[in-house]
Amino acid sequence: MRTLDRIAEAIDRISIWSGKIVAWLIFPMFLVLVWEVVVRKVYRPTIWANDIATMAYGTHFMLAAAYALYLQKHIRTDFFSQHFPLRLQVALDIAQYLFFFLPGMAMFLWLSWEFAAESWDLKEQLVTTWRPPAYWYKSVIPLSAALLLVQGISEVLKCIRTLRTGIDYRRQAPPSEAV
Amino acid sequence: MSLEILGLILVALLFVVILGGFPISFTLIFLAMAFGYIGLGDRVFYLMTYQYFGTMMETTLAAVALFTFMGYVLESAGLMRRLFHAVQVACGRMHGSLYLATIFTAMLFAAATGIVGAAVTLIALMAGPVMQKKGYDPALSAGTICAGGTLGILIPPSVMLVVMGPVLQVSIARLYAAALLPGLLLGTLYLAYTLMRTWMNPKLGPPLPAEELDVSRGYLVREMLVGLFPPAVLIMATLGTIISGWATPTEGAALGCAGAIAVTAAHRRLSFSVLKDATFRTAETTSMVMILLAASTFMGSVFSAFGTPQFIADAILSWEISPGFLILSILIVCFILGWPLEWVPIVVIIVPIFLPLLIALKVDMIWFSILLAVTLQTCWLSPPVALSAYYLKGVIPEWELWEIYKGMLPFMALQASCVLILYFFPQIVLALPTLWYR
């Protein structure tokens, strides 16, 4: 069983790193837009700033999804379930990961893979003035689906460990931090 | 079984499963996919990737990430301290001066930032300890801080209005113009209420001791001006550029990020760890909001393909209930859902269900958005999921949760009366957008 725990830890580390890396995309996102506003006023608008900001924004929230899952940030309504006994809570979690989450994400991975693959085949471009390649950006979807799927497995492993030991190994959600 | 009924079952099931305590986004994705496959066959798969990519191409929504980042950076700037102190000293002789100072700075900060978490934390850090020390009433103090901080989500720039714009198909710049006066009205109501309470019972807010008020007029004026400068810069950079049409809401948010970093640097609070912290927290929060938004966009498209929203609209319209009553009913539904849910699921999941009904009733969407935005203020104050109370409790652990809740109730009543005022006087909402955008 040690191996399983170690797998969960390794997966968590992947999610943490992926999240912390894409988090920095916030800087190009706002910097290109600031540049655009300034340069539009003194010279003329760029054709690329908007596209770069858009791609930074999409990549930012999609690829950080697994990190947010690891941190238990995704909104849940747990004011009923938090009063359940620990083992029941965990069993419910496992059931929902197995029946909802993992099949859903597996489907999502497969479909978005085809969606991106088609774009690569066509060497597709985004329908904007600048027309940057679309296939890189579309590949973000299967990548984030894969990260989510793997992180889901780690969550199931942590739930199983909790069931086995009676100690809660799930990461405790901080009092949720919405905007 | 007809598709419309299948859609109704989907919604009903959704509610049951949401209460199971699993992250809503993923429940939505799975249920929409499963039901979509039953109803639409393979078509649902195209719908899914298409809708996700559609959300990723919606540049406007980048403003969610940018405003969040701006708010988190400002949170560490200690921005309003000098202004708060100046206002507090200037009106120190009257009872309840700290309530006044809190609401005033909260309104100003709300106009400079777009998220609530940062606002409540910042205001609680600033006002809470002082209120405790001066023997202010804990319940009324807690209510003032929470309600004041929550104004951030109504007074533009606001992340909630950014999300609401695409959902209700109205321009975000117009929503911002429309939200200004209602935000001011709500703040004034809070002010009037707290001052009335202290006037009736002066023990709730004793005046400040004389030695603290012994400052020269010149010092006071200087502190006021220096204190007003940073929020003024931020408001010009963000709200000013958006409303004047200089910048799109997304660009305004980007300017706000630059402004927030500049202001924090000017306060000598900028460091790598501040930026890193804000960067990581922004990714977590944005991803949570946006994944939910994308998932519910997908579910909404399945739902519309089933024809269920139109079906609901037709059914309700056939009862021939007066439109005004229907609008109030929708708002009441959103209010009730605000107790267990946060605003994000309400705006992105619940509101689209009623969209065809609102369109059929020819409701002015800007007016409705603002009514909804004021209603959803209560989300932050209503237990058990009262986020403002959690933020406050995090800063001032000595205040009991029940005391905070008790203090927030009257403010929820004020919010309800604000909804009614705006309902009967739509001019308050529509005056500025018609004036500026014609």
Side-chain angles (χ1 to χ4, degrees):
Chain A
M1 288 311 246
R2 266 291 168 71
T3 8
L4 287 186
D5 300 341
R6 231 175 274 140
I7 292 174
E9 272 167 37
I11 294 175
D12 286 355
R13 228 169 291 138
I14 297 175
S15 296
I16 295 170
W17 275 102
S18 65
K20 289 192 170 176
I21 291 169
V22 292
W24 293 100
L25 282 173
I26 192 81
F27 281 89
M29 205 192 304
F30 86 80
L31 288 173
V32 291
L33 288 175
V34 170
W35 174 253
E36 161 75 21
V37 175
V38 173
V39 97
R40 187 169 65 206
K41 209 66 201 167
V42 299
Y43 183 47
R44 63 168 185 218
T46 66
I47 57 168
W48 46 267
N50 215 36
D51 288 2
I52 288 188
T54 307
M55 289 193 276
Y57 138 81
T59 314
H60 181 253
F61 84 80
M62 286 296 281
L63 287 184
Y67 176 54
L69 180 63
Y70 159 75
L71 292 171
Q72 297 296 335
K73 280 280 183 172
H74 291 288
I75 302 186
R76 36 164 97 209
T77 28
D78 53 1
F79 57 95
F80 283 129
S81 56
Q82 66 189 351
H83 303 295
F84 295 168
L86 179 65
R87 278 173 202 278
L88 179 59
Q89 274 184 38
V90 174
L92 267 178
D93 263 8
I94 293 182
Q96 301 190 75
Y97 274 116
L98 291 183
F99 288 109
F100 292 160
F101 186 90
L102 295 179
M105 283 304 129
M107 273 306 269
F108 192 31
L109 174 59
W110 176 53
L111 294 168
S112 55
W113 181 275
E114 295 204 324
F115 182 67
E118 195 188 339
S119 180
W120 278 91
D121 281 346
L122 298 171
K123 292 272 169 278
E124 189 191 2
Q125 297 172 327
L126 286 185
V127 217
T128 58
T129 332
W130 190 37
R131 305 191 77 80
Y135 36 92
W136 285 107
Y137 193 35
K138 286 193 172 176
S139 307
V140 164
I141 312 179
L143 185 56
S144 52
L147 285 169
L148 273 170
L149 184 66
V150 173
Q151 183 58 37
I153 294 171
S154 161
E155 295 302 322
V156 174
L157 291 178
K158 278 184 271 186
C159 286
I160 293 175
R161 192 178 183 189
T162 308
L163 271 188
R164 208 175 65 225
T165 58
I167 306 163
D168 200 348
Y169 279 99
R170 299 170 305 162
R171 208 192 138 86
Q172 292 312 301
S176 93
E177 185 168 45
V179 279
Chain B
M1 185 169 48
S2 72
L3 287 178
E4 289 87 348
I5 306 295
L6 194 65
L8 284 181
I9 298 175
L10 168 61
V11 180
L13 195 64
L14 187 66
F15 271 97
V16 178
V17 179
I18 280 181
L19 294 179
F22 199 70
I24 302 174
S25 314
F26 305 113
T27 314
L28 272 179
I29 296 176
F30 177 78
L31 286 181
M33 202 161 19
F35 275 74
Y37 188 71
I38 300 173
L40 307 169
D42 282 349
R43 198 147 63 88
V44 71
F45 299 142
Y46 300 104
L47 211 53
M48 180 175 193
T49 40
Y50 181 80
Q51 291 293 344
Y52 259 84
F53 195 63
T55 309
M56 288 168 69
M57 287 304 289
E58 191 78 58
T59 316
T60 323
L61 290 171
V64 174
L66 296 167
F67 277 132
T68 308
F69 182 67
M70 178 187 174
Y72 287 155
V73 171
L74 283 180
E75 196 181 299
S76 45
L79 188 63
M80 314 293 279
R81 264 174 205 285
R82 294 179 86 162
L83 184 66
F84 181 74
H85 182 71
V87 177
Q88 177 193 338
V89 173
C91 342
R93 268 170 246 285
M94 62 187 272
H95 288 275
S97 62
L98 285 176
Y99 297 130
L100 190 143
T102 305
I103 293 170
F104 176 72
T105 40
M107 281 167 73
L108 210 59
F109 191 62
T113 175
I115 62 175
V116 166
V120 174
T121 312
L122 189 111
I123 291 157
L125 276 171
M126 194 167 62
V130 193
M131 287 170 148
Q132 267 180 314
K133 210 160 56 197
K134 307 287 183 222
Y136 270 54
D137 179 56
L140 190 55
S141 304
T144 309
I145 293 173
C146 288
T150 310
L151 281 173
I153 205 77
L154 174 66
I155 296 181
S158 138
V159 164
M160 181 160 75
L161 296 180
V162 169
V163 174
M164 225 182 246
V167 170
L168 288 169
Q169 296 154 14
V170 282
S171 118
I172 294 166
R174 275 169 200 242
L175 275 185
Y176 279 0
L180 272 178
L181 289 181
L184 221 56
L185 172 69
L186 196 54
T188 316
L189 285 178
Y190 294 164
L191 209 57
Y193 169 75
T194 49
L195 293 184
M196 206 175 69
R197 284 284 305 271
T198 37
W199 182 67
M200 288 184 339
N201 180 5
K203 275 207 288 287
L204 295 176
L208 301 182
E211 64 268 19
E212 277 185 38
L213 303 177
D214 189 25
V215 292
S216 74
R217 188 160 294 234
Y219 168 81
L220 212 55
V221 171
R222 204 186 63 222
E223 285 296 297
M224 235 10 141
L225 289 179
V226 173
L228 273 174
F229 187 67
V233 168
L234 291 172
I235 292 170
M236 296 273 271
T238 312
L239 199 54
T241 54
I242 296 173
I243 286 184
S244 67
W246 253 49
T248 65
T250 320
E251 289 164 349
L255 291 171
C257 291
I261 291 178
V263 165
T264 313
H267 275 70
R268 296 179 204 288
R269 294 286 182 86
L270 191 67
S271 66
F272 182 65
S273 75
V274 163
L275 283 182
K276 196 173 76 176
D277 189 48
T279 304
F280 293 162
R281 282 167 71 202
T282 304
E284 298 158 17
T285 310
T286 314
S287 184
M288 177 271 283
V289 176
M290 292 308 305
I291 292 285
L292 180 57
L293 183 74
S296 54
T297 311
F298 167 51
M299 199 212 70
S301 68
V302 169
F303 207 51
S304 307
F306 284 179
T308 315
Q310 195 60 48
F311 174 76
I312 296 176
D314 292 342
I316 294 180
L317 285 174
S318 70
W319 301 338
E320 295 186 1
I321 307 168
S322 82
F325 183 76
L326 278 179
I327 293 171
L328 285 180
S329 312
I330 295 175
L331 292 175
I332 290 172
V333 167
C334 292
F335 166 75
I336 295 171
L337 288 170
W339 292 67
L341 297 177
E342 290 170 33
W343 67 265
V344 189
I346 296 179
V347 171
V348 302
I349 305 173
I350 311 299
V351 174
I353 298 178
F354 295 116
L355 195 59
L357 179 64
L358 292 166
I359 293 172
L361 291 172
K362 297 197 174 56
V363 176
D364 185 312
M365 285 301 177
I366 292 193
W367 176 61
F368 179 78
S369 305
I370 301 301
L371 285 180
L372 182 65
V374 178
T375 309
L376 289 181
Q377 296 263 307
T378 57
C379 262
W380 297 86
L381 308 184
S382 51
V385 191
L387 290 175
S388 291
Y390 282 113
Y391 299 134
L392 178 59
K393 180 87 179 143
V395 178
I396 305 173
E398 294 86 11
W399 283 345
E400 296 296 332
L401 212 47
W402 65 265
E403 215 161 23
I404 301 179
Y405 285 147
K406 197 181 95 189
M408 292 191 310
L409 279 177
F411 288 93
M412 285 169 68
L414 290 173
Q415 291 161 352
S417 49
C418 182
V419 172
L420 286 180
I421 295 175
L422 298 177
Y423 178 83
F424 288 111
F425 302 98
Q427 309 88 291
I428 304 174
V429 177
L430 300 173
L432 292 184
T434 29
L435 186 71
W436 286 337
Y437 297 105
R438 243 177 285 265

Tab-separated table of all heavy atoms in Angstrom, chain B residues 281-316:
chain	number	residue	atom	x	y	z
B	281	ARG	N	-2.555	32.667	-5.663
B	281	ARG	CA	-3.957	32.720	-5.223
B	281	ARG	C	-4.868	33.072	-6.394
B	281	ARG	O	-5.997	32.589	-6.480
B	281	ARG	CB	-4.116	33.739	-4.096
B	281	ARG	CG	-3.636	33.202	-2.755
B	281	ARG	CD	-3.497	34.300	-1.749
B	281	ARG	NE	-4.792	34.825	-1.313
B	281	ARG	CZ	-4.937	36.039	-0.777
B	281	ARG	NH1	-3.909	36.843	-0.659
B	281	ARG	NH2	-6.122	36.441	-0.397
B	282	THR	N	-4.377	33.944	-7.295
B	282	THR	CA	-5.181	34.297	-8.453
B	282	THR	C	-5.464	33.069	-9.305
B	282	THR	O	-6.596	32.865	-9.750
B	282	THR	CB	-4.450	35.349	-9.304
B	282	THR	OG1	-4.143	36.459	-8.486
B	282	THR	CG2	-5.305	35.797	-10.466
B	283	ALA	N	-4.423	32.240	-9.522
B	283	ALA	CA	-4.622	31.050	-10.353
B	283	ALA	C	-5.665	30.127	-9.733
B	283	ALA	O	-6.567	29.639	-10.416
B	283	ALA	CB	-3.299	30.318	-10.547
B	284	GLU	N	-5.579	29.921	-8.407
B	284	GLU	CA	-6.532	29.024	-7.741
B	284	GLU	C	-7.955	29.533	-7.899
B	284	GLU	O	-8.854	28.807	-8.339
B	284	GLU	CB	-6.248	28.967	-6.231
B	284	GLU	CG	-4.899	28.425	-5.850
B	284	GLU	CD	-4.498	28.888	-4.449
B	284	GLU	OE1	-5.367	29.343	-3.688
B	284	GLU	OE2	-3.292	28.799	-4.120
B	285	THR	N	-8.150	30.803	-7.535
B	285	THR	CA	-9.505	31.347	-7.512
B	285	THR	C	-10.080	31.446	-8.926
B	285	THR	O	-11.214	31.052	-9.166
B	285	THR	CB	-9.495	32.745	-6.862
B	285	THR	OG1	-8.803	32.650	-5.634
B	285	THR	CG2	-10.884	33.236	-6.633
B	286	THR	N	-9.268	31.972	-9.856
B	286	THR	CA	-9.754	32.137	-11.220
B	286	THR	C	-10.127	30.801	-11.820
B	286	THR	O	-11.165	30.673	-12.472
B	286	THR	CB	-8.673	32.778	-12.095
B	286	THR	OG1	-8.108	33.866	-11.409
B	286	THR	CG2	-9.258	33.237	-13.388
B	287	SER	N	-9.270	29.811	-11.610
B	287	SER	CA	-9.541	28.511	-12.192
B	287	SER	C	-10.857	27.961	-11.649
B	287	SER	O	-11.680	27.432	-12.401
B	287	SER	CB	-8.397	27.558	-11.875
B	287	SER	OG	-8.607	26.349	-12.510
B	288	MET	N	-11.081	28.120	-10.344
B	288	MET	CA	-12.322	27.645	-9.749
B	288	MET	C	-13.527	28.307	-10.418
B	288	MET	O	-14.457	27.630	-10.856
B	288	MET	CB	-12.282	27.932	-8.247
B	288	MET	CG	-13.508	27.585	-7.480
B	288	MET	SD	-14.676	28.938	-7.421
B	288	MET	CE	-13.942	29.990	-6.192
B	289	VAL	N	-13.502	29.645	-10.525
B	289	VAL	CA	-14.641	30.356	-11.106
B	289	VAL	C	-14.820	29.984	-12.576
B	289	VAL	O	-15.924	29.683	-13.031
B	289	VAL	CB	-14.449	31.888	-10.990
B	289	VAL	CG1	-15.575	32.626	-11.679
B	289	VAL	CG2	-14.361	32.293	-9.541
B	290	MET	N	-13.714	29.982	-13.320
B	290	MET	CA	-13.819	29.824	-14.763
B	290	MET	C	-14.170	28.398	-15.175
B	290	MET	O	-14.890	28.186	-16.147
B	290	MET	CB	-12.517	30.255	-15.444
B	290	MET	CG	-12.243	31.732	-15.361
B	290	MET	SD	-13.610	32.739	-15.925
B	290	MET	CE	-13.832	32.030	-17.542
B	291	ILE	N	-13.649	27.393	-14.447
B	291	ILE	CA	-13.998	26.016	-14.776
B	291	ILE	C	-15.495	25.812	-14.532
B	291	ILE	O	-16.199	25.186	-15.329
B	291	ILE	CB	-13.173	25.021	-13.933
B	291	ILE	CG1	-11.696	25.082	-14.342
B	291	ILE	CG2	-13.699	23.616	-14.065
B	291	ILE	CD1	-11.379	24.428	-15.651
B	292	LEU	N	-15.990	26.410	-13.452
B	292	LEU	CA	-17.428	26.316	-13.193
B	292	LEU	C	-18.216	27.031	-14.287
B	292	LEU	O	-19.234	26.533	-14.772
B	292	LEU	CB	-17.756	26.907	-11.824
B	292	LEU	CG	-19.227	26.864	-11.424
B	292	LEU	CD1	-19.758	25.447	-11.447
B	292	LEU	CD2	-19.441	27.462	-10.050
B	293	LEU	N	-17.712	28.192	-14.693
B	293	LEU	CA	-18.400	28.946	-15.743
B	293	LEU	C	-18.422	28.153	-17.048
B	293	LEU	O	-19.470	28.042	-17.701
B	293	LEU	CB	-17.703	30.287	-15.952
B	293	LEU	CG	-18.361	31.205	-16.960
B	293	LEU	CD1	-19.623	31.794	-16.391
B	293	LEU	CD2	-17.422	32.316	-17.370
B	294	ALA	N	-17.268	27.566	-17.405
B	294	ALA	CA	-17.208	26.798	-18.653
B	294	ALA	C	-18.119	25.574	-18.577
B	294	ALA	O	-18.855	25.269	-19.525
B	294	ALA	CB	-15.766	26.377	-18.932
B	295	ALA	N	-18.092	24.886	-17.419
B	295	ALA	CA	-18.935	23.698	-17.264
B	295	ALA	C	-20.408	24.062	-17.369
B	295	ALA	O	-21.193	23.359	-18.018
B	295	ALA	CB	-18.658	23.033	-15.911
B	296	SER	N	-20.796	25.184	-16.757
B	296	SER	CA	-22.220	25.516	-16.801
B	296	SER	C	-22.605	26.091	-18.158
B	296	SER	O	-23.764	25.980	-18.554
B	296	SER	CB	-22.586	26.467	-15.666
B	296	SER	OG	-21.767	27.578	-15.707
B	297	THR	N	-21.642	26.666	-18.889
B	297	THR	CA	-21.948	27.071	-20.261
B	297	THR	C	-22.273	25.840	-21.093
B	297	THR	O	-23.228	25.836	-21.878
B	297	THR	CB	-20.752	27.805	-20.894
B	297	THR	OG1	-20.307	28.801	-19.999
B	297	THR	CG2	-21.139	28.447	-22.196
B	298	PHE	N	-21.482	24.801	-20.891
B	298	PHE	CA	-21.735	23.541	-21.592
B	298	PHE	C	-23.102	22.974	-21.193
B	298	PHE	O	-23.921	22.635	-22.045
B	298	PHE	CB	-20.606	22.549	-21.271
B	298	PHE	CG	-20.892	21.130	-21.666
B	298	PHE	CD1	-21.333	20.821	-22.947
B	298	PHE	CD2	-20.706	20.104	-20.755
B	298	PHE	CE1	-21.595	19.505	-23.310
B	298	PHE	CE2	-20.972	18.792	-21.110
B	298	PHE	CZ	-21.419	18.488	-22.382
B	299	MET	N	-23.360	22.942	-19.870
B	299	MET	CA	-24.651	22.415	-19.440
B	299	MET	C	-25.789	23.266	-19.985
B	299	MET	O	-26.797	22.743	-20.442
B	299	MET	CB	-24.734	22.349	-17.921
B	299	MET	CG	-25.823	21.408	-17.463
B	299	MET	SD	-26.614	21.879	-15.932
B	299	MET	CE	-27.524	23.304	-16.424
B	300	GLY	N	-25.590	24.574	-19.953
B	300	GLY	CA	-26.619	25.462	-20.477
B	300	GLY	C	-26.918	25.204	-21.941
B	300	GLY	O	-28.075	25.266	-22.364
B	301	SER	N	-25.869	24.866	-22.712
B	301	SER	CA	-26.104	24.638	-24.136
B	301	SER	C	-26.866	23.330	-24.360
B	301	SER	O	-27.722	23.241	-25.245
B	301	SER	CB	-24.784	24.637	-24.900
B	301	SER	OG	-24.024	23.512	-24.536
B	302	VAL	N	-26.572	22.315	-23.536
B	302	VAL	CA	-27.336	21.061	-23.621
B	302	VAL	C	-28.801	21.333	-23.291
B	302	VAL	O	-29.728	20.909	-23.988
B	302	VAL	CB	-26.763	20.012	-22.637
B	302	VAL	CG1	-27.685	18.803	-22.515
B	302	VAL	CG2	-25.390	19.578	-23.075
B	303	PHE	N	-28.944	22.114	-22.233
B	303	PHE	CA	-30.245	22.470	-21.720
B	303	PHE	C	-31.063	23.228	-22.771
B	303	PHE	O	-32.241	22.943	-23.000
B	303	PHE	CB	-29.958	23.361	-20.520
B	303	PHE	CG	-30.993	23.369	-19.489
B	303	PHE	CD1	-31.475	22.194	-18.968
B	303	PHE	CD2	-31.478	24.571	-19.012
B	303	PHE	CE1	-32.432	22.217	-17.993
B	303	PHE	CE2	-32.427	24.597	-18.044
B	303	PHE	CZ	-32.910	23.418	-17.531
B	304	SER	N	-30.412	24.178	-23.437
B	304	SER	CA	-31.114	24.932	-24.478
B	304	SER	C	-31.436	24.042	-25.664
B	304	SER	O	-32.487	24.177	-26.285
B	304	SER	CB	-30.269	26.102	-24.973
B	304	SER	OG	-29.853	26.870	-23.919
B	305	ALA	N	-30.506	23.114	-26.005
B	305	ALA	CA	-30.764	22.206	-27.119
B	305	ALA	C	-31.983	21.335	-26.817
B	305	ALA	O	-32.737	20.962	-27.714
B	305	ALA	CB	-29.535	21.335	-27.384
B	306	PHE	N	-32.196	21.041	-25.535
B	306	PHE	CA	-33.395	20.298	-25.132
B	306	PHE	C	-34.649	21.168	-25.240
B	306	PHE	O	-35.757	20.663	-25.249
B	306	PHE	CB	-33.284	19.837	-23.669
B	306	PHE	CG	-32.381	18.662	-23.454
B	306	PHE	CD1	-32.178	18.152	-22.180
B	306	PHE	CD2	-31.741	18.050	-24.516
B	306	PHE	CE1	-31.353	17.067	-21.968
B	306	PHE	CE2	-30.908	16.963	-24.311
B	306	PHE	CZ	-30.711	16.480	-23.036
B	307	GLY	N	-34.471	22.475	-25.228
B	307	GLY	CA	-35.611	23.391	-25.261
B	307	GLY	C	-36.257	23.610	-23.911
B	307	GLY	O	-37.339	24.183	-23.816
B	308	THR	N	-35.563	23.179	-22.837
B	308	THR	CA	-36.198	23.287	-21.520
B	308	THR	C	-36.423	24.721	-21.041
B	308	THR	O	-37.510	25.021	-20.538
B	308	THR	CB	-35.393	22.496	-20.473
B	308	THR	OG1	-35.063	21.231	-21.029
B	308	THR	CG2	-36.174	22.311	-19.198
B	309	PRO	N	-35.426	25.627	-21.184
B	309	PRO	CA	-35.693	26.991	-20.692
B	309	PRO	C	-36.911	27.619	-21.362
B	309	PRO	O	-37.740	28.252	-20.691
B	309	PRO	CB	-34.413	27.750	-21.058
B	309	PRO	CG	-33.364	26.725	-21.178
B	309	PRO	CD	-34.052	25.495	-21.683
B	310	GLN	N	-37.041	27.402	-22.667
B	310	GLN	CA	-38.199	27.936	-23.382
B	310	GLN	C	-39.487	27.289	-22.872
B	310	GLN	O	-40.508	27.944	-22.699
B	310	GLN	CB	-38.034	27.675	-24.882
B	310	GLN	CG	-38.966	28.486	-25.760
B	310	GLN	CD	-38.750	29.978	-25.562
B	310	GLN	OE1	-37.614	30.455	-25.578
B	310	GLN	NE2	-39.822	30.715	-25.323
B	311	PHE	N	-39.397	25.995	-22.600
B	311	PHE	CA	-40.533	25.234	-22.085
B	311	PHE	C	-40.984	25.804	-20.743
B	311	PHE	O	-42.169	26.061	-20.517
B	311	PHE	CB	-40.100	23.766	-21.954
B	311	PHE	CG	-41.113	22.865	-21.313
B	311	PHE	CD1	-42.226	22.433	-22.020
B	311	PHE	CD2	-40.934	22.427	-20.000
B	311	PHE	CE1	-43.147	21.594	-21.430
B	311	PHE	CE2	-41.859	21.583	-19.405
B	311	PHE	CZ	-42.968	21.167	-20.123
B	312	ILE	N	-40.001	26.060	-19.868
B	312	ILE	CA	-40.321	26.642	-18.557
B	312	ILE	C	-40.955	28.010	-18.753
B	312	ILE	O	-41.976	28.345	-18.130
B	312	ILE	CB	-39.044	26.759	-17.700
B	312	ILE	CG1	-38.478	25.383	-17.387
B	312	ILE	CG2	-39.330	27.520	-16.408
B	312	ILE	CD1	-37.164	25.417	-16.629
B	313	ALA	N	-40.337	28.814	-19.656
B	313	ALA	CA	-40.861	30.157	-19.893
B	313	ALA	C	-42.309	30.097	-20.376
B	313	ALA	O	-43.178	30.804	-19.867
B	313	ALA	CB	-39.986	30.876	-20.912
B	314	ASP	N	-42.568	29.224	-21.356
B	314	ASP	CA	-43.929	29.120	-21.896
B	314	ASP	C	-44.914	28.693	-20.810
B	314	ASP	O	-46.024	29.233	-20.704
B	314	ASP	CB	-43.972	28.115	-23.051
B	314	ASP	CG	-43.208	28.640	-24.261
B	314	ASP	OD1	-42.965	29.864	-24.300
B	314	ASP	OD2	-42.844	27.835	-25.136
B	315	ALA	N	-44.509	27.714	-20.012
B	315	ALA	CA	-45.396	27.222	-18.961
B	315	ALA	C	-45.741	28.355	-17.994
B	315	ALA	O	-46.909	28.584	-17.667
B	315	ALA	CB	-44.725	26.068	-18.213
B	316	ILE	N	-44.699	29.091	-17.553
B	316	ILE	CA	-44.953	30.144	-16.567
B	316	ILE	C	-45.764	31.277	-17.180
B	316	ILE	O	-46.681	31.816	-16.555
B	316	ILE	CB	-43.611	30.659	-15.987
B	316	ILE	CG1	-42.944	29.538	-15.188
B	316	ILE	CG2	-43.836	31.877	-15.105
B	316	ILE	CD1	-41.624	29.905	-14.577
